[in-house]
Amino acid sequence: MATYYRVTSFLLSSLFVAAYAAPCDEYAELNDAWRSVNYITNHTSRLCDHPGLSFSSGLVPGWYRFIGEAGNRMPTVPPESDYHCGTHAPVWLNGPHPTVADGVVNREVCASLNEYGCWRSWNIEVAACAGGFYVYHLIYTPACSFAYCVENGNVMTTPQTTTAPCDEYAELNDAWRSVNYITNHTSRLCDHPGLSFSSGLVPGWYRFIGEAGNRMPTVPPESDYHCGTHAPVWLNGPHPTVADGVVNREVCASLNEYGCWRSWTIEVAACAGGFYVYRLTYPPDCSIGYCVEPFVMDQPEFDTGLSHGIVIADFKDVVCTKKTRRKFCKKCKMTRGQHVCRRCRRSGRQNGRSCRQCRHCQTCKHCRK
Protein backbone atom coordinates (compact mmCIF):
# COMPACT_ATOMS: atom_id res chain seq x y z
CA MET A 1 0.00 0.00 0.00
CA ALA A 2 1.34 3.42 -0.92
CA THR A 3 1.34 6.30 1.55
CA TYR A 4 2.09 9.74 0.09
CA TYR A 5 4.97 11.55 1.74
CA ARG A 6 6.20 15.09 1.24
CA VAL A 7 8.96 17.16 2.77
CA THR A 8 9.23 20.87 2.04
CA SER A 9 12.82 22.11 2.00
CA PHE A 10 13.93 25.75 2.12
CA LEU A 11 17.62 24.94 2.01
CA LEU A 12 18.08 24.27 -1.70
CA SER A 13 20.83 26.65 -2.69
CA SER A 14 20.85 26.12 -6.44
CA LEU A 15 18.95 24.61 -9.34
CA PHE A 16 21.65 21.93 -9.55
CA VAL A 17 20.91 20.76 -6.03
CA ALA A 18 17.18 21.07 -6.55
CA ALA A 19 17.31 18.83 -9.61
CA TYR A 20 18.71 15.97 -7.55
CA ALA A 21 16.82 16.65 -4.33
CA ALA A 22 13.32 16.72 -5.83
CA PRO A 23 12.61 12.95 -5.84
CA CYS A 24 14.01 12.70 -2.30
CA ASP A 25 11.48 15.28 -1.12
CA GLU A 26 8.34 14.02 -2.86
CA TYR A 27 7.63 10.32 -3.05
CA ALA A 28 5.15 7.68 -1.95
CA GLU A 29 6.00 4.90 0.48
CA LEU A 30 5.48 1.25 -0.46
CA ASN A 31 5.19 -1.08 2.52
CA ASP A 32 3.66 -4.18 0.93
CA ALA A 33 4.93 -7.20 2.86
CA TRP A 34 4.32 -9.47 -0.13
CA ARG A 35 7.05 -7.70 -2.14
CA SER A 36 9.76 -9.35 -0.04
CA VAL A 37 12.23 -11.65 -1.82
CA ASN A 38 11.33 -14.20 0.87
CA TYR A 39 7.57 -14.06 0.28
CA ILE A 40 6.49 -17.01 -1.86
CA THR A 41 3.08 -17.16 -3.52
CA ASN A 42 1.38 -19.34 -6.14
CA HIS A 43 -0.50 -18.89 -9.40
CA THR A 44 -3.91 -18.33 -7.83
CA SER A 45 -2.82 -15.69 -5.29
CA ARG A 46 -0.16 -13.83 -7.28
CA LEU A 47 -0.21 -10.03 -7.69
CA CYS A 48 0.95 -7.77 -10.50
CA ASP A 49 2.10 -4.16 -11.06
CA HIS A 50 0.38 -3.98 -14.45
CA PRO A 51 -2.97 -2.11 -14.36
CA GLY A 52 -6.51 -3.13 -15.16
CA LEU A 53 -6.64 -6.71 -13.86
CA SER A 54 -8.42 -8.23 -10.91
CA PHE A 55 -5.05 -9.08 -9.32
CA SER A 56 -3.35 -5.72 -10.08
CA SER A 57 -1.53 -4.20 -7.11
CA GLY A 58 -2.86 -0.66 -7.60
CA LEU A 59 0.60 0.80 -8.20
CA VAL A 60 0.64 3.93 -10.38
CA PRO A 61 3.75 5.45 -12.02
CA GLY A 62 5.72 7.73 -9.71
CA TRP A 63 8.57 8.04 -7.23
CA TYR A 64 8.56 5.47 -4.42
CA ARG A 65 10.54 4.59 -1.31
CA PHE A 66 10.34 1.03 0.03
CA ILE A 67 9.76 0.69 3.78
CA GLY A 68 8.43 -1.90 6.20
CA GLU A 69 9.12 -5.57 6.79
CA ALA A 70 9.66 -6.39 3.09
CA GLY A 71 12.80 -4.28 2.95
CA ASN A 72 14.28 -0.95 1.94
CA ARG A 73 15.67 -1.44 -1.56
CA MET A 74 15.35 -3.48 -4.74
CA PRO A 75 17.57 -6.57 -5.00
CA THR A 76 20.42 -6.52 -7.52
CA VAL A 77 20.35 -10.25 -8.24
CA PRO A 78 17.33 -12.28 -9.40
CA PRO A 79 15.31 -14.16 -6.76
CA GLU A 80 15.94 -17.88 -6.45
CA SER A 81 12.85 -18.96 -8.38
CA ASP A 82 9.45 -17.94 -9.71
CA TYR A 83 6.60 -16.86 -7.42
CA HIS A 84 8.86 -14.93 -5.06
CA CYS A 85 7.90 -11.32 -4.17
CA GLY A 86 4.20 -12.18 -4.35
CA THR A 87 4.17 -12.50 -8.13
CA HIS A 88 5.01 -14.92 -10.92
CA ALA A 89 7.96 -13.03 -12.47
CA PRO A 90 9.70 -10.88 -9.80
CA VAL A 91 11.45 -7.68 -10.92
CA TRP A 92 14.99 -6.84 -9.76
CA LEU A 93 17.57 -4.10 -10.45
CA ASN A 94 20.20 -5.23 -12.98
CA GLY A 95 22.97 -2.85 -11.92
CA PRO A 96 24.45 -1.05 -8.91
CA HIS A 97 22.55 1.46 -6.82
CA PRO A 98 23.73 5.06 -7.26
CA THR A 99 25.26 7.40 -4.69
CA VAL A 100 23.95 10.84 -3.77
CA ALA A 101 26.62 12.41 -5.99
CA ASP A 102 25.32 10.45 -9.00
CA GLY A 103 21.98 12.21 -8.87
CA VAL A 104 19.10 10.59 -10.75
CA VAL A 105 20.32 7.69 -12.89
CA ASN A 106 18.73 5.26 -15.34
CA ARG A 107 18.92 1.58 -14.44
CA GLU A 108 17.71 -1.55 -16.19
CA VAL A 109 15.24 -3.73 -14.30
CA CYS A 110 14.60 -7.36 -15.19
CA ALA A 111 11.69 -9.73 -14.70
CA SER A 112 13.02 -13.23 -14.00
CA LEU A 113 11.04 -16.24 -15.18
CA ASN A 114 11.93 -19.93 -15.12
CA GLU A 115 15.66 -20.18 -15.86
CA TYR A 116 15.80 -16.71 -17.44
CA GLY A 117 17.11 -14.15 -14.95
CA CYS A 118 16.34 -11.31 -17.36
CA TRP A 119 13.37 -12.62 -19.32
CA ARG A 120 11.94 -9.11 -19.89
CA SER A 121 13.66 -5.80 -19.20
CA TRP A 122 12.97 -2.05 -19.19
CA ASN A 123 14.49 1.09 -17.60
CA ILE A 124 13.52 3.03 -14.50
CA GLU A 125 15.05 6.01 -12.69
CA VAL A 126 16.77 5.61 -9.31
CA ALA A 127 18.24 8.11 -6.83
CA ALA A 128 20.10 7.86 -3.52
CA CYS A 129 18.99 10.36 -0.90
CA ALA A 130 21.13 12.07 1.73
CA GLY A 131 18.79 10.77 4.41
CA GLY A 132 20.10 7.25 3.81
CA PHE A 133 17.54 5.66 1.50
CA TYR A 134 16.79 5.06 -2.18
CA VAL A 135 13.84 6.23 -4.27
CA TYR A 136 12.70 4.64 -7.50
CA HIS A 137 10.57 6.06 -10.31
CA LEU A 138 8.45 2.98 -10.91
CA ILE A 139 6.37 2.55 -14.03
CA TYR A 140 3.79 -0.04 -15.00
CA THR A 141 5.33 -3.40 -15.77
CA PRO A 142 4.91 -4.38 -19.45
CA ALA A 143 2.67 -7.36 -18.67
CA CYS A 144 1.46 -9.69 -15.94
CA SER A 145 2.34 -11.24 -13.74
CA PHE A 146 5.34 -8.98 -12.98
CA ALA A 147 5.90 -7.02 -9.78
CA TYR A 148 8.74 -5.03 -8.22
CA CYS A 149 10.71 -6.95 -5.61
CA VAL A 150 12.20 -5.70 -2.31
CA GLU A 151 14.95 -6.80 0.08
CA ASN A 152 16.68 -5.54 3.20
CA GLY A 153 20.14 -4.27 2.34
CA ASN A 154 22.78 -1.65 3.00
CA VAL A 155 22.15 1.80 1.64
CA MET A 156 25.46 3.25 0.39
CA THR A 157 24.65 6.87 -0.39
CA THR A 158 28.22 8.21 -0.24
CA PRO A 159 30.42 7.92 -3.32
CA GLN A 160 33.05 5.21 -3.43
CA THR A 161 36.63 6.16 -4.23
CA THR A 162 37.92 5.20 -7.64
CA THR A 163 40.51 2.93 -6.00
CA ALA A 164 37.87 0.79 -4.29
CA PRO A 165 37.29 -1.71 -7.12
CA CYS A 166 41.07 -1.92 -7.62
CA ASP A 167 41.49 -2.99 -4.00
CA GLU A 168 38.58 -5.37 -3.63
CA TYR A 169 37.83 -7.80 -6.42
CA ALA A 170 37.69 -11.51 -7.20
CA GLU A 171 39.99 -13.16 -9.71
CA LEU A 172 38.67 -15.15 -12.66
CA ASN A 173 41.15 -17.63 -14.12
CA ASP A 174 38.86 -19.89 -16.17
CA ALA A 175 40.88 -21.17 -19.13
CA TRP A 176 37.70 -21.76 -21.14
CA ARG A 177 37.01 -18.00 -21.32
CA SER A 178 39.86 -17.54 -23.82
CA VAL A 179 38.95 -16.18 -27.26
CA ASN A 180 40.89 -19.16 -28.63
CA TYR A 181 38.98 -21.78 -26.64
CA ILE A 182 36.36 -23.41 -28.88
CA THR A 183 33.57 -25.55 -27.47
CA ASN A 184 30.33 -27.09 -28.80
CA HIS A 185 26.66 -27.19 -27.88
CA THR A 186 26.93 -30.11 -25.45
CA SER A 187 29.89 -28.77 -23.46
CA ARG A 188 29.15 -25.03 -23.51
CA LEU A 189 29.03 -22.96 -20.31
CA CYS A 190 27.03 -19.89 -19.37
CA ASP A 191 27.29 -16.97 -16.90
CA HIS A 192 23.52 -16.89 -16.39
CA PRO A 193 22.46 -18.51 -13.08
CA GLY A 194 20.28 -21.49 -12.26
CA LEU A 195 21.16 -23.94 -15.04
CA SER A 196 23.10 -27.20 -15.01
CA PHE A 197 25.77 -25.61 -17.22
CA SER A 198 25.97 -22.26 -15.37
CA SER A 199 29.50 -21.13 -14.57
CA GLY A 200 28.78 -20.11 -10.98
CA LEU A 201 29.62 -16.45 -11.59
CA VAL A 202 27.85 -13.99 -9.28
CA PRO A 203 27.63 -10.20 -9.83
CA GLY A 204 30.67 -8.31 -8.57
CA TRP A 205 34.07 -6.82 -9.39
CA TYR A 206 36.49 -9.16 -11.19
CA ARG A 207 40.03 -9.18 -12.53
CA PHE A 208 40.90 -11.65 -15.29
CA ILE A 209 44.11 -13.62 -14.77
CA GLY A 210 45.67 -16.87 -15.96
CA GLU A 211 46.20 -18.48 -19.33
CA ALA A 212 42.93 -17.20 -20.85
CA GLY A 213 44.09 -13.60 -20.68
CA ASN A 214 43.89 -10.39 -18.68
CA ARG A 215 41.20 -8.27 -20.31
CA MET A 216 37.99 -8.44 -22.32
CA PRO A 217 38.34 -8.24 -26.12
CA THR A 218 37.05 -5.11 -27.85
CA VAL A 219 36.04 -6.84 -31.08
CA PRO A 220 33.71 -9.84 -31.39
CA PRO A 221 35.29 -13.31 -31.61
CA GLU A 222 35.52 -14.84 -35.05
CA SER A 223 32.54 -17.19 -34.64
CA ASP A 224 30.13 -18.81 -32.20
CA TYR A 225 31.28 -21.28 -29.54
CA HIS A 226 34.45 -19.36 -28.75
CA CYS A 227 35.20 -18.53 -25.09
CA GLY A 228 33.60 -21.79 -23.95
CA THR A 229 30.07 -20.61 -24.67
CA HIS A 230 27.61 -20.25 -27.53
CA ALA A 231 27.40 -16.43 -27.62
CA PRO A 232 30.68 -14.89 -26.36
CA VAL A 233 30.58 -11.47 -24.70
CA TRP A 234 32.99 -8.66 -25.67
CA LEU A 235 33.50 -5.00 -24.71
CA ASN A 236 32.00 -2.64 -27.29
CA GLY A 237 34.24 0.35 -26.62
CA PRO A 238 37.75 1.34 -25.51
CA HIS A 239 39.11 0.48 -22.08
CA PRO A 240 39.39 3.44 -19.69
CA THR A 241 42.53 4.97 -18.18
CA VAL A 242 43.27 5.34 -14.49
CA ALA A 243 42.31 9.01 -14.73
CA ASP A 244 38.85 8.08 -16.06
CA GLY A 245 37.93 6.27 -12.85
CA VAL A 246 34.98 3.90 -13.01
CA VAL A 247 33.16 4.12 -16.36
CA ASN A 248 30.13 2.49 -17.94
CA ARG A 249 30.71 0.40 -21.04
CA GLU A 250 28.39 -1.56 -23.31
CA VAL A 251 29.07 -5.27 -23.67
CA CYS A 252 27.74 -7.34 -26.54
CA ALA A 253 26.99 -11.03 -27.00
CA SER A 254 27.80 -12.07 -30.57
CA LEU A 255 25.77 -14.80 -32.24
CA ASN A 256 25.88 -16.07 -35.82
CA GLU A 257 26.42 -13.02 -38.03
CA TYR A 258 25.24 -10.60 -35.35
CA GLY A 259 28.23 -8.95 -33.68
CA CYS A 260 25.98 -7.35 -31.08
CA TRP A 261 23.05 -9.73 -30.82
CA ARG A 262 22.30 -8.79 -27.18
CA SER A 263 23.79 -5.90 -25.21
CA TRP A 264 23.83 -4.48 -21.68
CA THR A 265 26.06 -2.20 -19.59
CA ILE A 266 28.80 -3.03 -17.08
CA GLU A 267 31.30 -0.92 -15.13
CA VAL A 268 35.03 -0.98 -15.91
CA ALA A 269 38.08 0.59 -14.23
CA ALA A 270 41.80 0.73 -15.01
CA CYS A 271 43.99 0.24 -11.94
CA ALA A 272 47.35 1.86 -11.27
CA GLY A 273 48.89 -1.58 -10.81
CA GLY A 274 48.55 -2.18 -14.54
CA PHE A 275 45.32 -4.17 -14.87
CA TYR A 276 41.59 -3.78 -15.47
CA VAL A 277 38.66 -4.71 -13.25
CA TYR A 278 35.10 -5.28 -14.45
CA ARG A 279 31.84 -5.22 -12.52
CA LEU A 280 30.19 -8.20 -14.17
CA THR A 281 26.46 -8.79 -14.01
CA TYR A 282 24.43 -11.80 -15.07
CA PRO A 283 23.93 -11.88 -18.84
CA PRO A 284 20.26 -11.71 -19.87
CA ASP A 285 20.02 -15.41 -20.79
CA CYS A 286 21.98 -18.46 -21.94
CA SER A 287 24.20 -19.52 -23.42
CA ILE A 288 26.20 -16.34 -22.97
CA GLY A 289 29.60 -16.01 -21.25
CA TYR A 290 32.20 -13.27 -20.74
CA CYS A 291 35.23 -13.57 -23.02
CA VAL A 292 38.92 -12.89 -22.28
CA GLU A 293 42.02 -12.22 -24.36
CA PRO A 294 45.72 -11.79 -23.54
CA PHE A 295 47.08 -8.28 -23.81
CA VAL A 296 50.45 -6.73 -22.95
CA MET A 297 49.62 -3.99 -20.47
CA ASP A 298 51.64 -0.86 -21.21
CA GLN A 299 52.45 0.53 -17.77
CA PRO A 300 53.03 4.14 -18.98
CA GLU A 301 49.51 4.16 -20.39
CA PHE A 302 48.13 3.39 -16.94
CA ASP A 303 50.36 5.95 -15.22
CA THR A 304 49.86 8.91 -17.55
CA GLY A 305 46.12 8.49 -18.10
CA LEU A 306 46.25 9.38 -21.78
CA SER A 307 42.85 10.54 -22.90
CA HIS A 308 42.65 7.79 -25.49
CA GLY A 309 43.36 4.95 -23.08
CA ILE A 310 44.52 1.48 -24.01
CA VAL A 311 43.88 0.45 -27.60
CA ILE A 312 44.07 -2.71 -29.62
CA ALA A 313 47.73 -3.53 -30.16
CA ASP A 314 47.41 -3.70 -33.95
CA PHE A 315 45.98 -0.17 -34.07
CA LYS A 316 48.00 1.48 -31.31
CA ASP A 317 49.98 3.82 -33.53
CA VAL A 318 47.43 4.20 -36.30
CA VAL A 319 46.34 7.69 -37.24
CA CYS A 320 42.84 7.53 -38.65
CA THR A 321 43.37 9.09 -42.06
CA LYS A 322 41.68 8.44 -45.37
CA LYS A 323 44.41 5.93 -46.16
CA THR A 324 44.08 3.94 -42.94
CA ARG A 325 40.30 3.96 -43.15
CA ARG A 326 40.58 2.50 -46.62
CA LYS A 327 43.02 -0.12 -45.33
CA PHE A 328 41.17 -1.27 -42.23
CA CYS A 329 37.54 -0.61 -43.21
CA LYS A 330 37.74 -1.75 -46.80
CA LYS A 331 35.46 -4.75 -46.35
CA CYS A 332 32.34 -2.82 -45.51
CA LYS A 333 33.18 0.53 -47.10
CA MET A 334 32.42 2.40 -43.89
CA THR A 335 34.23 5.36 -42.35
CA ARG A 336 35.63 5.80 -38.87
CA GLY A 337 32.98 5.91 -36.18
CA GLN A 338 30.31 4.05 -38.16
CA HIS A 339 29.25 0.70 -36.75
CA VAL A 340 27.32 -1.23 -39.34
CA CYS A 341 27.07 -4.30 -37.11
CA ARG A 342 25.01 -2.39 -34.57
CA ARG A 343 22.33 -1.52 -37.11
CA CYS A 344 21.66 -4.76 -38.93
CA ARG A 345 20.78 -7.22 -36.20
CA ARG A 346 17.59 -8.30 -37.91
CA SER A 347 18.56 -8.55 -41.54
CA GLY A 348 22.21 -9.39 -40.95
CA ARG A 349 23.16 -7.23 -43.91
CA GLN A 350 23.68 -3.60 -44.76
CA ASN A 351 25.41 -2.02 -47.75
CA GLY A 352 25.54 -5.49 -49.27
CA ARG A 353 27.91 -6.79 -46.59
CA SER A 354 27.32 -9.08 -43.65
CA CYS A 355 27.85 -7.97 -40.07
CA ARG A 356 30.72 -10.36 -39.67
CA GLN A 357 32.50 -8.89 -42.69
CA CYS A 358 32.18 -5.49 -41.11
CA ARG A 359 33.62 -6.39 -37.70
CA HIS A 360 37.00 -4.84 -38.58
CA CYS A 361 35.26 -1.60 -39.35
CA GLN A 362 34.40 -1.23 -35.68
CA THR A 363 38.09 -1.15 -34.79
CA CYS A 364 38.52 2.07 -36.74
CA LYS A 365 37.08 3.93 -33.78
CA HIS A 366 40.25 2.96 -31.90
CA CYS A 367 42.52 4.92 -34.24
CA ARG A 368 44.26 7.91 -32.73
CA LYS A 369 42.99 11.26 -33.95
Side-chain angles (χ1 to χ4, degrees):
M1 181 176 181
T3 303
Y4 191 73
Y5 178 80
R6 179 171 181 169
V7 176
T8 303
S9 174
F10 299 95
L11 302 177
L12 301 182
S13 58
S14 67
L15 289 175
F16 175 81
V17 175
Y20 293 117
C24 296
D25 292 340
E26 294 190 19
Y27 54 82
E29 293 179 339
L30 276 182
N31 61 357
D32 305 309
W34 55 266
R35 293 187 184 274
S36 169
V37 290
N38 300 315
Y39 187 101
I40 301 175
T41 189
N42 55 48
H43 187 73
T44 57
S45 58
R46 73 196 187 283
L47 290 166
C48 175
D49 286 329
H50 190 77
L53 301 170
S54 61
F55 51 96
S56 296
S57 66
L59 179 140
V60 295
W63 284 100
Y64 289 91
R65 174 185 176 182
F66 294 112
I67 64 168
E69 61 183 278
N72 57 358
R73 70 174 201 175
M74 291 185 67
T76 54
V77 294
E80 294 178 359
S81 61
D82 300 349
Y83 292 112
H84 282 245
C85 309
T87 191
H88 189 182
V91 178
W92 56 284
L93 192 73
N94 189 18
H97 280 84
T99 66
V100 173
D102 294 329
V104 177
V105 300
N106 286 314
R107 286 291 186 265
E108 180 185 56
V109 291
C110 292
S112 61
L113 184 67
N114 301 326
E115 72 271 26
Y116 304 109
C118 197
W119 178 61
R120 295 285 296 275
S121 66
W122 60 98
N123 287 340
I124 65 169
E125 291 179 295
V126 187
C129 302
F133 57 91
Y134 298 117
V135 289
Y136 306 82
H137 189 269
L138 305 181
I139 60 176
Y140 292 131
T141 56
C144 271
S145 296
F146 305 167
Y148 295 99
C149 203
V150 188
E151 68 173 4
N152 274 307
N154 295 327
V155 178
M156 302 295 291
T157 58
T158 56
Q160 297 178 342
T161 63
T162 56
T163 58
C166 296
D167 295 335
E168 296 185 14
Y169 54 82
E171 293 180 338
L172 275 183
N173 61 356
D174 306 309
W176 55 266
R177 293 187 184 276
S178 168
V179 289
N180 299 316
Y181 187 101
I182 302 175
T183 187
N184 55 49
H185 187 75
T186 57
S187 59
R188 73 197 188 283
L189 289 166
C190 176
D191 287 327
H192 190 79
L195 300 170
S196 60
F197 51 98
S198 296
S199 66
L201 179 139
V202 295
W205 283 100
Y206 290 91
R207 174 186 176 182
F208 295 113
I209 64 169
E211 61 183 277
N214 53 5
R215 74 166 202 176
M216 292 185 67
T218 53
V219 293
E222 293 179 359
S223 61
D224 300 350
Y225 292 112
H226 281 245
C227 309
T229 190
H230 190 182
V233 179
W234 56 284
L235 193 73
N236 189 18
H239 280 81
T241 66
V242 174
D244 293 330
V246 178
V247 300
N248 290 317
R249 286 289 186 268
E250 181 187 56
V251 290
C252 291
S254 61
L255 183 68
N256 300 327
E257 73 272 24
Y258 307 114
C260 199
W261 172 62
R262 297 289 295 274
S263 66
W264 61 100
T265 301
I266 65 169
E267 292 179 293
V268 187
C271 301
F275 59 91
Y276 299 114
V277 290
Y278 307 82
R279 191 182 189 280
L280 304 181
T281 61
Y282 291 130
D285 50 38
C286 269
S287 294
I288 301 174
Y290 291 99
C291 203
V292 188
E293 69 175 2
F295 185 78
V296 177
M297 299 299 189
D298 189 353
Q299 186 65 41
E301 290 279 347
F302 283 87
D303 289 340
T304 58
L306 295 176
S307 60
H308 181 75
I310 306 299
V311 296
I312 299 174
D314 292 344
F315 292 84
K316 187 172 181 180
D317 298 319
V318 171
V319 176
C320 223
T321 64
K322 183 176 180 180
K323 180 178 179 181
T324 56
R325 282 198 297 269
R326 186 166 60 250
K327 177 180 178 181
F328 295 114
C329 296
K330 183 177 180 181
K331 290 185 178 180
C332 55
K333 298 180 181 178
M334 302 292 283
T335 59
R336 178 180 180 268
Q338 291 181 297
H339 312 295
V340 64
C341 295
R342 295 290 309 282
R343 295 198 296 270
C344 56
R345 296 185 192 178
R346 297 288 184 186
S347 66
R349 292 183 176 274
Q350 184 166 310
N351 294 345
R353 307 284 181 170
S354 72
C355 281
R356 179 160 295 162
Q357 287 174 311
C358 297
R359 63 187 286 269
H360 296 291
C361 206
Q362 293 180 324
T363 62
C364 288
K365 67 183 178 180
H366 296 290
C367 298
R368 294 189 185 278
K369 293 183 179 180

